Amino acid sequence: MTLDDAQNPDNNLLLTSTTGKSIFSMGWPAFHSITPNIKEEGAMKEDSGMQDTPYNENALVEQLDLCVDYLWKSERFELIAEVSKPVIAVFEKQRDFKRLSELYYNIHRSYLKIAEVVNAEKRLFGRYYRVAFYGQGFFEEEEGKEYIYKEPKLTGLSEISQRLLKLYADKFGADNVKIIQDSNKVNPKELDSKIAYIQVTYVTPYFDEKELMDRKTDFEKHHNINRFVFETPFTLSGKKHGGVEEQCKRQTVLTTSHSFPYVKKRIQVVNQTSTELNPIEVAIDEMTKKVQELQQLCTMDDVDMIRLQLKLQGSVSVKVNAGPMAYAREFLTESNSRNYPESQVRHLKEIFRQFADTCGLALEVNGRLIKEDQLEYQEEMKSHYREILTELSEVMNEQIPYREELAKQQGAERPCTLRSVSRTYPSLQSSSSKADS
């Protein structure tokens, strides 16, 4: 059934009387903005016993009121107004202005709560893991299939791994189950047929550039999501890790059949694509993430000083052969940069200019928030920042100004914005495959 079909009230009635007459013509599309999973409800046929149980407007209101209560408890405040829309329609039809005023007040409270928490990053929306099963003799029809598991709050990799290990050890025997915790591609032919293997990999929600334009908040980045990504480091020499000049990585994007949140805690993976990044592309990707993380911390309404200082320290106070400057030395010096595509070198240079500016912004924010006992720490960070700017100027063969000096030159602080970074590189190798259905 298509969405157009669903708009026909004769096809999809949210409520019908026992005689089959429509008493409320808003079908499942009324909830489509809340979850795209609702479409499968529209394709379901009514059970033969449905007419035996009266389902009227009051029953609808009662169920949606219960839903709103759970939304408050789960801190999904953004959905309260949407869930309340059918209730508003019922109360308007009934001319129940008192309950309408109470409902609008509740919606008002939900928006106040959203304004309070939207950028605080205090809500824990859960973590996601890819779980794959190998062993025909054990998993039968699930052998070779992959699922995304949604786990509550801060569930760690070891926690979900141990839980799955115990679950299947109880079923197959402790000696017959093993956990694969690396993210490398598994060749089932190389596995012991007498062992049930479970591969567990931490994944994060994946969005392309267009999606990121629309998904600004933490809630939006954890609601109605069906694509997830994980990264696997490798080198062409066969080692997993190497120097920045040889470090590559593979980004694997998984697509699920339905979107989270869902009525089940796991959803099957139906498509998989992988992209390989060469060393300079790895540098571009890593530095972009670093700049974005710092900018996000600097622009929060309620700045998390501990996280800000940790990120700042990791950016400007690093070992000689590690961190951002390792990328700069390898890819941006005049002699080394000739070994890489000119467009990628220019791209990385621009990111480093933004990195320098963002570190200066972070120092300013930190300086405004610290107390007297951290003044020495602030001066130390400033000293490291100047050292990095000096070296970066030499490496890039251009003057990278100190943020305060630049502000004085321009008469005002320039806004610190990050140009969107394209992940489409001409040298990337991509592959796509349908998961076993």
Side-chain angles (χ1 to χ4, degrees):
M1 182 178 296
T2 66
L3 188 59
D4 290 336
D5 294 333
Q7 301 293 352
N8 183 345
D10 293 332
N11 292 338
N12 275 281
L13 302 180
L14 196 61
L15 296 174
T16 56
S17 67
T18 53
T19 61
K21 183 181 178 182
S22 169
I23 58 175
F24 195 77
S25 61
M26 194 181 297
W28 63 259
F31 301 100
H32 190 262
S33 60
I34 299 171
T35 171
N37 298 325
I38 197 69
K39 284 189 285 188
E40 66 182 15
E41 299 291 331
M44 292 175 65
K45 294 182 179 180
E46 288 187 357
D47 295 333
S48 57
M50 280 286 288
Q51 303 299 334
D52 299 333
T53 304
Y55 189 55
N56 53 32
E57 292 177 351
N58 291 332
L60 170 68
V61 170
E62 184 179 332
Q63 290 295 311
L64 293 182
D65 279 346
L66 183 61
C67 181
V68 168
D69 286 341
Y70 281 117
L71 290 175
W72 278 106
K73 291 174 182 177
S74 62
E75 298 184 306
R76 302 260 173 177
F77 312 116
E78 287 85 347
L79 299 178
I80 291 174
E82 283 294 327
V83 171
S84 299
K85 285 181 179 178
V87 183
I88 291 173
V90 172
F91 289 167
E92 287 178 343
K93 181 173 179 251
Q94 295 175 347
R95 311 295 195 275
D96 194 335
F97 302 115
K98 184 177 185 298
R99 294 181 75 183
L100 270 172
S101 67
E102 293 170 350
L103 180 56
Y104 275 114
Y105 177 69
N106 203 34
I107 294 172
H108 165 73
R109 285 176 52 236
S110 73
Y111 281 121
L112 289 178
K113 196 64 181 177
I114 295 169
E116 178 186 329
V117 302
V118 65
N119 291 319
E121 294 189 357
K122 292 179 180 178
R123 288 183 290 177
L124 302 175
F125 291 109
R127 288 183 174 176
Y128 307 90
Y129 294 91
R130 176 194 67 157
V131 179
F133 300 95
Y134 301 97
Q136 181 67 48
F138 297 93
F139 296 113
E140 299 177 350
E141 71 275 2
E142 288 206 332
E143 199 277 333
K145 290 184 178 179
E146 297 178 329
Y147 294 87
I148 299 297
Y149 279 61
K150 183 179 186 297
E151 295 296 309
K153 298 189 176 181
L154 298 176
T155 303
L157 179 62
S158 60
E159 186 178 343
I160 181 177
S161 298
Q162 288 303 310
R163 193 183 75 231
L164 290 171
L165 181 62
K166 183 180 186 308
L167 175 67
Y168 288 99
D170 290 344
K171 184 176 182 180
F172 302 134
D175 296 333
N176 298 324
V177 182
K178 287 186 178 179
I179 296 289
I180 303 173
Q181 289 197 338
D182 66 55
S183 58
N184 292 319
K185 192 171 182 62
V186 173
N187 183 356
K189 295 180 180 179
E190 298 177 354
L191 302 177
D192 187 341
S193 61
K194 298 177 182 178
I195 300 292
Y197 294 90
I198 305 169
Q199 186 179 34
V200 185
T201 310
Y202 173 67
V203 298
T204 57
Y206 173 82
F207 309 103
D208 58 32
E209 289 183 28
K210 185 176 182 300
E211 286 178 297
L212 280 175
M213 296 288 288
D214 297 326
R215 294 179 183 261
K216 301 291 187 182
T217 68
D218 270 0
F219 170 79
E220 291 165 348
K221 292 175 181 177
H222 286 85
H223 186 67
N224 289 344
I225 52 175
N226 71 335
R227 291 200 293 173
F228 302 84
V229 64
F230 66 91
E231 297 179 346
T232 308
F234 71 96
T235 65
L236 295 180
S237 64
K239 297 183 297 181
K240 190 172 184 178
H241 296 285
V244 293
E245 74 283 355
E246 59 176 338
Q247 186 66 64
C248 304
K249 69 178 178 182
R250 183 178 300 106
Q251 291 181 331
T252 303
V253 177
L254 308 170
T255 304
T256 54
S257 61
H258 295 80
S259 299
F260 283 111
Y262 190 50
V263 291
K264 299 178 182 178
K265 72 175 298 175
R266 76 172 191 175
I267 304 177
Q268 187 176 346
V269 173
V270 294
N271 190 62
Q272 180 179 125
T273 61
S274 62
T275 305
E276 292 185 356
L277 276 65
N278 66 33
I280 191 170
E281 291 163 351
V282 170
I284 290 170
D285 190 60
E286 293 297 321
M287 289 303 300
T288 297
K289 290 177 183 176
K290 190 175 285 289
V291 174
Q292 288 174 333
E293 288 170 355
L294 264 179
Q295 287 189 350
Q296 185 177 9
L297 287 169
C298 290
T299 55
M300 289 171 61
D301 292 335
D302 186 12
V303 178
D304 187 331
M305 276 189 61
I306 295 177
R307 286 180 59 199
L308 176 63
Q309 291 178 358
L310 285 173
K311 291 290 183 185
L312 183 58
Q313 188 167 334
S315 297
V316 302
S317 180
V318 293
K319 295 179 181 179
V320 175
N321 294 316
M325 290 311 301
Y327 291 132
R329 296 185 198 100
E330 175 57 35
F331 303 115
L332 300 184
T333 59
E334 189 173 352
S335 57
N336 289 350
S337 63
R338 296 170 184 168
N339 301 325
Y340 304 99
E342 184 180 349
S343 61
Q344 294 179 349
V345 172
R346 284 200 308 269
H347 195 168
L348 187 57
K349 280 187 175 182
E350 175 59 24
I351 294 171
F352 265 97
R353 294 184 191 103
Q354 296 169 30
F355 169 72
D357 192 60
T358 306
C359 286
L361 174 63
L363 277 169
E364 291 174 12
V365 173
N366 191 62
R368 289 197 297 267
L369 298 175
I370 60 171
K371 296 182 180 178
E372 209 169 299
D373 60 344
Q374 285 195 312
L375 289 176
E376 186 177 341
Y377 168 83
Q378 175 74 358
E379 290 305 313
E380 183 182 352
M381 289 297 101
K382 280 187 175 182
S383 176
H384 289 312
Y385 176 53
R386 287 184 179 277
E387 290 172 4
I388 275 191
L389 292 186
T390 299
E391 183 176 1
L392 196 55
S393 297
E394 294 174 359
V395 167
M396 293 174 58
N397 196 29
E398 65 179 79
Q399 184 61 39
I400 307 296
Y402 192 84
R403 184 178 167 88
E404 288 182 359
E405 295 170 353
L406 183 64
K408 291 176 183 176
Q409 293 171 9
Q410 296 181 343
E413 293 186 9
R414 61 174 176 171
C416 183
T417 56
L418 178 65
R419 178 172 59 88
S420 75
V421 177
S422 172
R423 299 257 180 120
T424 304
Y425 304 111
S427 62
L428 294 187
Q429 302 173 358
S430 298
S431 63
S432 176
S433 63
K434 290 280 181 185
D436 294 334
S437 57

